[in-house]
Amino acid sequence: MKFREIKWFVVIQALAALFVFWGARAEAQSQSGERRQFLFNLGFEDYSKQIREALDKGAFEHELNRRQMNRNALMYESINASRELSIFIWNALDSQNLTEQKLEVLSQFTAKMLALKPLAPETDFPIEIMELADNERDIELAKWLDKQRRLQMETHTRKIVADIGFLLAEPGKELSSQELSKVYKLASVIVERTYLDELIGNTRFFGRSLLALLAREEKIGRLVAKDTLARVGALLKKAYGLRVENFIGDTMVMDGKDGDKLVKIKDGTQMLTKNLSAESLTISIAAIPKNLILRWKARFKGLVGNPLSSPFYVSAHDVASGITLNHRVRDLVSQSDTMIETGLSHIVYYQIKEDPRTGIKMPRVIHNYPSAVADASEKTANTGGVIITYPEQVIDRSHHSQVYFAHFNEERFKTEAQKYIAAHGYSPEFFKDTIQLELSADGTPTKSENAVSKPWKTKISENDFRDLHAETDAKVWSEKVLKRFTKTLENFSLRGVTFHWPDPYDFYILDSAYCSQTGEMAMQEAVNLPLEMQKSSWHWGLKALAKIGALGEYLEKSERWAALGKKLKSLPGVEKSLKITQIRIMAPSNLVIQKYMDGERIPLRSLNLEQRFSTSYGSYREFNEMRVRQLENILPRSNPEFKVLETKFIDPVRSFAASVRDIEYSFVMRASRGLTTHIDVSHIAAEGGRLGDQNLNRYNHGLLQCKRVFQ
């Protein structure tokens, strides 16, 4: 062969190789894009970016919304990390031969991630700390737990990274140090939220995104085995007692007292929960349907609370000095399905996300929930607000014993809506009871003497309103209405709608609501219809106390009877009842019992005290312990980049709240061993709030740190 021919042969070969390389790269990018869009369709969007863009534009109503938007932007980084890590794993698997053995490892890892929970904390505390004076002891214990938790989070992250390395390893080929570094950074975000976030920490975003991509690959015929999803389901049930149906598809399987209960989920399905606490019981007693027929129907279905159930609830604090037979019996009664154990109070709303190409569905819940740590430091944390999460976060078996699912009856919903539209027509504003927000010196909402009304605005135009409600097919109309409804709830989370319970306030503010009111505001804003067509009422007992208070106010104006008036107002519950009964209430039980709602209450299987308080924690066994040790050399902890969770700034409000959770767990587990624990967690909450106030600027800095992971 002549030199010129050899030259051209080499050039052609090089061009062919380059063409193959760029073709493979384009194919990989195309697969990444398709997978990302698929996960976007199922709800794994970059909400953090959307929220930050809105914050940059100042697109929020008031200061409380800004706080909640910051909070949500930080929380939803877990969604981003879960999405990108799942895509990374599946892109790496593209170049491999997905044998039966490899699919088995993938199935096991997916099941692990669907069951991901924090590791249980130590319950044997250092003697030198326990011998300190009370207040000092409690705070030092919280700091010690924080240090132990950081080590746990770091180790847990490394086990997950090592497992991913094991999953993606091929003969003679391992993940590079750069790839392992990327996996570590994404996994650390997921693990941190799992351990420290009381609002989404129990939500398995990563497991779900992995499962969704697996279901997609199976659906489009790219897997050698056609039963991989079923295989994950079998592993999940056998190893963790979980049902794969609760993570993908539109059917929930509830662990009821009488066995598994299947519930079909649609857009707008509502779920009430019974929390084993006095506060939850109080809400279900105080706020009830106004209509007598609906009220008795709600009582018959067990939705209205019974005061007789109050003494039976057993908290972790109750058993700090030891578990007695009395505690065991009370705890069993509190979870029973009896006439006295009634009353469901917190309401959440289901949204179905669906990929149009594959038809794969994934239900999630949107609800408005108060921040458990807001009382310690409302300025640093917030009052809580609307969040996007999943059922396992809401149905926390440590504190929940019953659920109630309510579904819209399409025909009756359409009929009642037409009656309402005929009577009221279109309105550009609604709920004019709200006032403009003012903050007191300590950063909490307050009501001035010159409060200005600031009603909510209807988002649907009058033309769209008329077009929408002109639809004659009840099923089509209902689907359109509920799609708008759930999309508006989703937007509530992005614009930071906050939690605002009328007690201790006697006013409402725009873009703030409590759980049941949130649904009402979303329906009105989306389609200019009320969710609650039959109104709610305060309990007659509260109204009676309010009348006594009103009489007291009247008598106080008289010199002769002023002392009696003051005495009447000082009676237990009188002044509080006088305050809150002056404003409108929307009872959770009333929303689900409306004429156009069908529903079913499901008592959950009872758990003993140890089982209840252990449900917040899990275990983790890595595939190969040697890989975890090898990872210490590849990602050495001597490098600050590879011990992020040990050293990074963590908002003390969150850290100390996690310490409270861990100590309450220790109360029960130590008591089961015959040990007592005399610790006052209120000291810990207060200290977390104090430190949080000092570090307000660092809290916002944490948002920037998290953002850099994804750049």
Side-chain angles (χ1 to χ4, degrees):
M1 186 180 290
K2 295 181 180 179
F3 176 74
R4 181 176 295 180
E5 291 174 341
I6 294 173
K7 180 180 176 181
W8 279 109
F9 177 77
V10 171
V11 169
I12 291 170
Q13 288 288 91
L15 287 173
L18 192 62
F19 179 79
V20 170
F21 170 77
W22 283 110
R25 185 172 180 179
E27 172 67 18
Q29 289 176 340
S30 173
Q31 282 292 342
S32 290
E34 287 181 13
R35 286 175 176 138
R36 189 168 287 107
Q37 185 58 55
F38 168 76
L39 289 176
F40 274 10
N41 293 341
L42 291 184
F44 291 86
E45 298 179 52
D46 191 347
Y47 293 121
S48 297
K49 180 181 178 182
Q50 295 176 44
I51 292 170
R52 290 192 181 107
E53 287 175 349
L55 284 168
D56 290 343
K57 296 174 183 175
F60 50 86
E61 181 60 34
H62 50 66
E63 168 61 17
L64 295 181
N65 301 138
R66 187 194 66 79
R67 295 181 201 170
Q68 183 64 21
M69 289 168 76
N70 269 334
R71 178 82 179 89
N72 287 352
L74 187 60
M75 282 197 299
Y76 295 152
E77 291 295 7
S78 185
I79 297 177
N80 289 344
S82 299
R83 180 189 66 243
E84 296 306 315
L85 188 49
S86 298
I87 292 171
F88 172 85
I89 289 171
W90 274 97
N91 286 352
L93 290 171
D94 278 342
S95 62
Q96 300 185 19
N97 181 19
L98 286 180
T99 62
E100 283 283 348
Q101 184 179 3
K102 179 72 76 173
L103 284 175
E104 179 64 23
V105 176
L106 175 62
S107 299
Q108 290 177 19
F109 182 70
T110 302
K112 275 193 203 181
M113 295 304 100
L114 286 168
L116 185 65
K117 291 183 180 181
L119 300 175
E122 289 285 343
T123 56
D124 292 323
F125 304 139
I127 295 174
E128 59 272 21
I129 291 179
M130 299 305 288
E131 290 178 346
L132 295 171
D134 289 355
N135 193 31
E136 185 182 2
R137 174 203 62 207
D138 298 347
I139 293 170
E140 287 303 313
L141 180 58
K143 292 178 180 177
W144 179 81
L145 282 168
D146 173 66
K147 184 177 179 181
Q148 298 302 309
R149 192 181 310 109
R150 286 172 177 270
L151 292 172
Q152 272 188 326
M153 289 193 296
E154 188 66 48
T155 300
H156 205 162
T157 299
R158 287 170 174 270
K159 287 184 176 184
I160 293 171
V161 174
D163 276 357
I164 292 173
F166 178 80
L167 169 65
L168 300 181
E170 295 181 89
K173 184 180 179 183
E174 298 279 344
L175 291 183
S176 68
S177 58
Q178 290 83 0
E179 289 172 321
L180 287 170
S181 175
K182 178 179 180 178
V183 170
Y184 169 82
K185 289 177 181 177
L186 293 172
S188 65
V189 174
I190 295 165
V191 170
E192 183 184 354
R193 293 298 98 201
T194 299
Y195 275 77
L196 295 180
D197 204 305
E198 86 281 6
L199 295 180
I200 65 162
N202 198 38
T203 307
R204 320 305 162 49
F205 291 117
F206 181 38
R208 264 189 179 78
S209 55
L210 273 176
L211 181 68
L213 288 175
L214 187 149
R216 174 183 180 268
E217 299 298 310
E218 184 173 285
K219 188 90 172 181
I220 62 180
R222 297 188 61 192
L223 301 182
V224 292
K226 304 300 181 184
D227 63 342
T228 311
L229 197 61
R231 187 180 307 182
V232 173
L235 286 167
L236 198 59
K237 187 174 182 181
K238 181 179 179 181
Y240 306 103
L242 301 174
R243 300 294 295 258
V244 73
E245 295 93 334
N246 291 342
F247 297 97
I248 197 166
D250 56 4
T251 301
M252 292 284 297
V253 182
M254 305 307 300
D255 185 16
K257 287 189 185 297
D258 300 326
D260 289 345
K261 290 278 188 178
L262 273 63
V263 182
K264 188 78 171 177
I265 302 297
K266 295 182 178 181
D267 260 319
T269 292
Q270 299 169 28
M271 182 176 72
L272 275 177
T273 61
K274 177 177 171 56
N275 192 312
L276 299 172
S277 71
E279 180 187 2
S280 178
L281 176 66
T282 301
I283 295 167
S284 66
I285 294 173
I288 55 179
K290 186 175 183 178
N291 180 281
L292 289 177
I293 295 175
L294 293 184
R295 186 183 305 177
W296 283 108
K297 185 179 177 183
R299 289 190 187 280
F300 177 76
K301 286 181 171 285
L303 303 178
V304 176
N306 190 324
L308 293 176
S309 67
S310 185
F312 296 104
Y313 170 61
V314 180
S315 71
H317 297 265
D318 292 334
V319 301
S321 298
I323 302 176
T324 65
L325 179 60
N326 176 272
H327 290 135
R328 297 284 188 194
V329 173
R330 282 169 49 198
D331 189 51
L332 195 61
V333 172
S334 71
Q335 299 177 70
S336 64
D337 181 20
T338 61
M339 291 291 289
I340 60 172
E341 286 304 325
T342 60
L344 289 83
S345 61
H346 185 61
I347 190 167
V348 304
Y349 311 91
Y350 274 87
Q351 181 186 39
I352 300 290
K353 303 296 284 187
E354 182 176 2
D355 175 60
R357 179 184 172 190
T358 61
I360 292 171
K361 297 178 181 179
M362 191 165 280
R364 62 185 186 180
V365 296
I366 305 174
H367 67 137
N368 194 342
Y369 200 74
S371 173
V373 297
D375 292 338
S377 175
E378 201 163 76
K379 287 177 286 185
T380 308
N382 49 33
T383 59
V386 178
I387 51 176
I388 299 168
T389 182
Y390 288 92
E392 67 269 15
Q393 179 69 46
V394 178
I395 310 171
D396 179 357
R397 291 309 318 276
S398 67
H399 288 82
H400 292 97
S401 62
Q402 298 180 29
V403 292
Y404 183 92
F405 286 92
H407 314 277
F408 286 86
N409 180 292
E410 295 157 352
E411 293 291 341
R412 296 202 304 268
F413 186 31
K414 172 71 172 171
T415 299
E416 294 300 316
Q418 290 301 110
K419 290 179 185 177
Y420 180 87
I421 293 168
H424 298 88
Y426 175 82
S427 175
E429 296 179 342
F430 62 96
F431 207 75
K432 299 180 182 180
D433 299 355
T434 52
I435 62 171
Q436 189 169 7
L437 171 72
E438 291 192 25
L439 294 176
S440 61
D442 67 353
T444 57
T446 188
K447 182 180 181 181
S448 72
E449 294 180 0
N450 302 315
V452 177
S453 174
K454 197 161 188 183
W456 292 64
K457 304 289 185 183
T458 305
K459 299 296 184 184
I460 187 172
S461 70
E462 187 168 0
N463 286 337
D464 287 346
F465 169 81
R466 301 201 182 286
D467 289 344
L468 172 66
H469 297 303
E471 174 62 58
T472 55
D473 186 304
K475 186 176 187 299
V476 173
W477 173 84
S478 182
E479 287 176 352
K480 289 180 179 178
V481 165
L482 295 175
K483 281 288 182 190
R484 283 176 174 263
F485 168 61
T486 55
K487 184 63 178 178
T488 300
L489 285 167
E490 181 183 318
N491 290 335
F492 276 9
S493 180
L494 305 187
R495 76 186 202 218
V497 170
T498 59
F499 188 89
H500 187 84
W501 178 241
D503 177 22
Y505 310 113
D506 61 348
F507 57 89
Y508 292 114
I509 53 179
L510 184 59
D511 274 11
S512 288
Y514 48 92
C515 63
S516 46
Q517 186 195 5
T518 299
E520 172 77 7
M521 300 299 100
M523 188 66 84
Q524 285 275 19
E525 189 173 291
V527 297
N528 205 201
L529 282 177
L531 189 60
E532 183 191 59
M533 294 189 192
Q534 295 280 342
K535 303 303 179 185
S536 300
S537 172
W538 292 105
H539 189 274
W540 65 265
L542 288 177
K543 291 192 284 188
L545 289 174
K547 288 182 178 179
I548 294 173
L551 177 60
E553 282 191 336
Y554 175 76
L555 294 176
E556 274 187 319
K557 297 174 184 177
S558 165
E559 282 189 34
R560 183 177 180 182
W561 301 104
L564 176 59
K566 189 174 181 180
K567 182 70 174 176
L568 289 174
K569 285 183 65 179
S570 67
L571 292 173
V574 167
E575 199 150 13
K576 186 175 181 179
S577 299
L578 179 63
K579 190 176 183 182
I580 66 171
T581 54
Q582 293 177 10
I583 61 176
R584 290 169 58 188
I585 185 66
M586 295 175 192
S589 59
N590 193 44
L591 291 189
V592 300
I593 211 73
Q594 295 286 306
K595 292 180 179 180
Y596 40 84
M597 303 299 292
D598 297 321
E600 177 187 13
R601 182 172 60 89
I602 303 174
L604 302 175
R605 181 172 57 86
S606 296
L607 304 175
N608 64 35
L609 279 163
E610 291 88 346
Q611 289 171 329
R612 281 209 293 117
F613 285 91
S614 295
T615 56
S616 298
Y617 305 97
S619 59
Y620 195 93
R621 185 174 181 179
E622 62 277 13
F623 289 129
N624 188 316
E625 189 178 346
M626 179 66 73
R627 283 185 172 272
V628 180
R629 291 198 292 268
Q630 291 171 346
L631 198 62
E632 296 294 337
N633 297 323
I634 303 170
L635 306 178
R637 298 192 198 209
S638 57
N639 184 338
E641 286 188 24
F642 303 133
K643 59 174 184 178
V644 172
L645 297 175
E646 285 188 53
T647 58
K648 71 173 289 187
F649 168 74
I650 293 175
D651 180 359
V653 174
R654 303 290 149 195
S655 177
F656 275 60
S659 292
V660 171
R661 175 198 66 201
D662 291 348
I663 290 173
E664 289 182 338
Y665 165 78
S666 78
F667 286 169
V668 177
M669 304 315 290
R670 285 166 64 87
S672 69
R673 293 156 49 199
L675 302 174
T676 59
T677 315
H678 300 291
I679 296 170
D680 187 347
V681 294
S682 65
H683 294 156
I684 297 169
E687 179 67 6
R690 186 185 69 80
L691 292 173
D693 286 344
Q694 292 177 357
N695 291 285
L696 179 58
N697 60 327
R698 298 188 71 184
Y699 173 76
N700 291 321
H701 177 64
L703 296 174
L704 299 177
Q705 287 182 319
C706 210
K707 185 177 180 181
R708 293 193 187 104
V709 172
F710 304 98
Q711 290 178 340

